[in-house]
Amino acid sequence: MRQASVQSVSNVDRIYQAVKEMAIGFRFKPGERLNEVELSKRLGASRTPLREALNRLGAEGFITFEGGKGFFCREFGPREIYELYQLRSVLEEAAVRLVCELASDAELDELDRFLVETGPDDGGRSNEALVALDEHFHETLMDLTRNAEMRRILRNVNARIKFFRWIDMERRRGETQDEHRMILAALRERNADLCAERMRRHIERRLDQITGAIKEGYSRIYLSGR
Amino acid sequence: MRQASVQSVSNVDRIYQAVKEMAIGFRFKPGERLNEVELSKRLGASRTPLREALNRLGAEGFITFEGGKGFFCREFGPREIYELYQLRSVLEEAAVRLVCELASDAELDELDRFLVETGPDDGGRSNEALVALDEHFHETLMDLTRNAEMRRILRNVNARIKFFRWIDMERRRGETQDEHRMILAALRERNADLCAERMRRHIERRLDQITGAIKEGYSRIYLSGR
DNA sequence: GCATATAACACTGTATACAATTTACACGGC
DNA sequence: GCCGTGTAAATTGTATACAGTGTTATATGC
């Protein structure tokens, strides 16, 4: 074996993370077959652990699998994006209603602190950083539901739409955080209907912007190097 | 290789299905480690395809995985059941609202036909059959949302709670179908709020019954043989 | 008798070899 | 020129071997 186990970060996990990030960032072209030999060489491992990672990623929807053919980069059209955003909306609207009832004032304080510390945007942040902050807000909110399953699904969905969030963030840097503050304000009022409405609109607006962005700039996505 | 490919049903798929059904039916004891050598022998394959199947099942939440230790039967307490039912409730409540808007009259007719043909219960059906009908109703409803992601998640959740549905069905054979009919009636009225309310109560009642059943009969689950 | 160290065992993690299948390509017929 | 066919190369699917790690049983000292 290559190296002494560096505790808790197994080889498959490393490969899994690496390929996951490639899939998230669309370093593979949609529909492209993933060559196992080449990939495993590039990642410094044999095909066995690579295939285990690919099987996990397939089960999680990051890549697809066809028996006898192998693994492929997922195809992504407006339909798939819409479905994932709809799922997000359903989950987060329900989450915010639950959090309205469940969260302690202290937990909301902490969320508030996060928004204050990380905003408003002074223009000095990278898109990656802004996307990470956006994800962090939504995932922290979901954590407050205390429902591990819902958390797991939201994280999965967020990873799969990350690229499109990134595209969106390039154009609308400011709005996101304002809307987050409005959602928190509704949470403070413990007004479930208002929370849900604001969350729904928040996600809906993002989707509208992204479908727009996709239409005009889809080609840019797959340029060389990225 | 063992046999000529019988078209589209690969070996890993077969193993995957077999182990999945074992996990669903709790043929493994919670927390038990799955011995790969023994399992692979029992399924007539080597460890390689078995491990691929196990990785998929782990990613889907049917079993757990611990680096360096292997795969284990999931542990299941009231908390996990509650979370899965809450997730179900969130998904299906949203689904029924969507279906209220999206479904054609013809599609609702078909759902109606299904309910008429398969009910009311004459007492001659097995629990397995009743659970299958129950699942079928809910999954067909979810199909009408035309959202493949939400469909996928509901099917996953249903598989994971199947055993508890089965326990519940043993006691309350009749109510389920009545409630299904009431939900369909609300769909026909295109009354989204009423649909959502009935669906929410429907799932909530099931959860109440199951937590009750669990308390009094948990031990019976792990008796020999089944 | 109990705790601890240690050695034997069992099991997982990974590389590799080979079989089976798919894919690419060249050739020949139409 | 285009389509079908056959052959070769590439690629996936699986078995197996072995290394490394975790687990358990045994023996030893207190």
Side-chain angles (χ1 to χ4, degrees):
Chain A
M1 213 222 248
R2 193 162 331 285
Q3 57 185 1
S5 72
V6 195
Q7 273 172 354
S8 80
V9 60
S10 82
N11 199 18
V12 179
D13 282 348
R14 184 179 58 79
I15 296 171
Y16 167 83
Q17 282 299 338
V19 180
K20 185 168 162 182
E21 266 153 41
M22 294 185 212
I24 288 172
F26 276 97
R27 305 270 244 303
F28 310 116
K29 282 197 268 292
E32 174 190 355
R33 192 183 63 206
L34 310 186
N35 188 316
E36 297 176 9
V37 177
E38 190 208 347
L39 247 186
S40 62
K41 264 183 198 155
R42 182 139 44 110
L43 295 168
S46 78
R47 283 176 56 219
T48 309
L50 171 64
R51 281 180 61 98
E52 300 205 350
L54 292 177
N55 272 287
R56 289 187 203 177
L57 291 167
E60 290 172 350
F62 290 101
I63 58 179
T64 62
F65 172 74
E66 224 169 319
K69 309 278 182 65
F71 294 89
F72 298 81
C73 177
R74 63 200 157 140
E75 305 255 14
F76 238 111
R79 179 78 209 158
E80 282 74 21
I81 298 170
Y82 176 75
E83 288 182 358
L84 285 173
Y85 268 81
Q86 188 170 56
L87 171 57
R88 234 195 98 185
S89 185
V90 165
L91 283 176
E92 296 212 61
E93 198 182 316
V96 85
R97 282 181 188 278
L98 285 170
V99 172
C100 236
E101 291 183 13
L102 290 175
S104 68
D105 290 338
E107 284 170 327
L108 295 186
D109 286 345
E110 191 161 351
L111 205 54
D112 204 345
R113 210 173 311 133
F114 167 76
L115 285 180
V116 170
E117 282 173 6
T118 60
D121 180 33
D122 59 351
R125 290 202 183 87
S126 66
N127 276 356
E128 280 75 13
L130 287 174
V131 170
L133 290 179
D134 185 23
E135 283 178 340
H136 185 84
F137 174 78
H138 286 278
E139 289 174 4
T140 303
L141 206 53
M142 187 57 82
D143 289 349
L144 295 182
T145 65
R146 295 154 170 81
N147 186 315
E149 276 306 316
M150 287 172 60
R151 246 162 39 193
R152 177 157 96 146
I153 295 174
L154 183 67
R155 278 158 205 271
N156 174 267
V157 171
N158 276 348
R160 288 161 71 191
I161 63 175
K162 187 164 197 161
F163 192 75
F164 303 97
R165 246 190 172 120
W166 187 85
I167 291 173
D168 178 43
M169 201 60 84
E170 206 167 29
R171 335 165 90 214
R172 311 274 185 146
R173 303 173 71 91
E175 293 174 22
T176 300
Q177 291 186 331
D178 288 339
E179 290 174 22
H180 288 178
R181 272 185 282 275
M182 292 300 285
I183 290 168
L184 181 58
L187 278 169
R188 282 222 179 275
E189 291 178 31
R190 306 285 177 176
N191 186 335
D193 288 333
L194 186 60
C195 281
E197 174 66 10
R198 285 182 179 170
M199 180 62 86
R200 199 177 59 71
R201 298 279 296 279
H202 174 57
I203 296 175
E204 200 175 66
R205 274 195 282 265
R206 292 293 153 296
L207 177 58
D208 288 346
Q209 292 169 14
I210 284 164
T211 45
I214 299 268
K215 269 178 201 144
E216 53 178 86
Y218 214 130
S219 57
R220 190 160 55 81
I221 298 173
Y222 305 120
L223 291 181
S224 64
R226 196 203 133 198
Chain B
M1 213 210 179
R2 194 162 332 285
Q3 57 186 1
S5 72
V6 196
Q7 272 171 353
S8 81
V9 59
S10 82
N11 198 18
V12 178
D13 282 348
R14 185 179 57 78
I15 296 171
Y16 167 84
Q17 282 298 338
V19 181
K20 185 168 162 181
E21 266 154 41
M22 293 185 213
I24 289 172
F26 276 96
R27 305 270 244 302
F28 311 116
K29 283 196 266 294
E32 174 189 356
R33 192 182 63 208
L34 310 186
N35 188 317
E36 297 175 9
V37 177
E38 189 209 348
L39 247 186
S40 62
K41 266 185 196 154
R42 183 141 41 113
L43 296 169
S46 77
R47 284 175 55 217
T48 309
L50 171 64
R51 280 179 61 96
E52 300 205 350
L54 292 178
N55 272 286
R56 289 188 203 177
L57 290 167
E60 290 172 349
F62 290 101
I63 57 179
T64 60
F65 172 74
E66 224 169 318
K69 309 275 184 66
F71 295 90
F72 297 82
C73 177
R74 62 198 158 141
E75 305 256 14
F76 237 111
R79 179 78 209 159
E80 281 74 22
I81 298 170
Y82 176 75
E83 289 182 359
L84 284 172
Y85 268 80
Q86 188 170 57
L87 171 56
R88 235 195 98 186
S89 185
V90 165
L91 283 176
E92 297 213 59
E93 198 181 316
V96 86
R97 282 181 188 278
L98 285 170
V99 172
C100 235
E101 291 182 12
L102 290 176
S104 68
D105 289 338
E107 285 171 328
L108 295 185
D109 286 344
E110 191 161 350
L111 205 54
D112 204 344
R113 211 173 310 132
F114 167 76
L115 285 180
V116 170
E117 283 173 7
T118 61
D121 178 34
D122 60 351
R125 290 201 182 87
S126 67
N127 276 356
E128 280 76 13
L130 287 174
V131 170
L133 290 180
D134 185 24
E135 283 178 341
H136 185 84
F137 174 79
H138 287 278
E139 288 174 4
T140 303
L141 206 53
M142 187 57 81
D143 289 349
L144 295 181
T145 64
R146 295 154 170 81
N147 186 314
E149 274 307 315
M150 286 172 60
R151 245 161 40 195
R152 178 158 96 145
I153 295 174
L154 182 67
R155 278 160 205 272
N156 174 267
V157 171
N158 277 347
R160 289 161 69 191
I161 63 174
K162 186 165 200 163
F163 191 75
F164 303 97
R165 246 190 173 119
W166 185 86
I167 291 174
D168 178 44
M169 201 60 84
E170 207 168 28
R171 336 165 90 212
R172 311 275 184 144
R173 304 171 71 90
E175 294 173 20
T176 300
Q177 291 185 331
D178 288 338
E179 291 174 21
H180 288 178
R181 272 185 284 275
M182 292 301 284
I183 290 168
L184 181 58
L187 278 170
R188 283 223 179 276
E189 292 178 31
R190 306 284 178 178
N191 186 335
D193 288 333
L194 186 60
C195 280
E197 174 66 10
R198 285 183 178 170
M199 180 62 86
R200 199 176 59 70
R201 298 280 296 275
H202 174 59
I203 295 174
E204 200 174 66
R205 273 195 282 265
R206 292 293 153 295
L207 178 57
D208 287 346
Q209 290 168 17
I210 284 165
T211 45
I214 298 268
K215 270 178 202 146
E216 52 179 87
Y218 214 131
S219 57
R220 190 160 55 80
I221 298 173
Y222 305 118
L223 291 183
S224 64
R226 209 224 128 74

